[in-house]
Amino acid sequence: MVFIISETLIIFLLIRFIAKLTKENKELKEDIFSLKVQAELEDFYSDRNKKK
């Protein structure tokens, strides 16, 4: 009985940990994308200002 409860608890904690990592990974991907867009916009405007 104790084995079943501990096994269920371990599985629950592993699933929770994986879900947390997945959420953090998604947030990091969004941050990287926004940084790439920001860098491209800065390059575009700096090139545009150099041409003037």
Side-chain angles (χ1 to χ4, degrees):
M1 184 69 181
V2 173
F3 178 72
I4 294 172
I5 293 172
S6 63
E7 184 177 300
T8 305
L9 181 63
I10 290 171
I11 291 172
F12 172 75
L13 291 174
L14 283 174
I15 290 173
R16 188 171 174 209
F17 179 71
I18 291 170
K20 184 178 179 183
L21 288 179
T22 303
K23 181 181 177 187
E24 289 177 6
N25 189 23
K26 183 179 178 185
E27 291 172 355
L28 287 174
K29 284 182 181 180
E30 290 172 356
D31 291 344
I32 290 171
F33 177 75
S34 64
L35 287 173
K36 285 181 179 179
V37 169
Q38 181 181 358
E40 289 297 323
L41 287 173
E42 288 175 359
D43 287 344
F44 174 75
Y45 284 114
S46 68
D47 290 344
R48 188 173 163 192
N49 289 335
K50 288 179 185 177
K51 290 180 182 179
K52 287 185 177 181

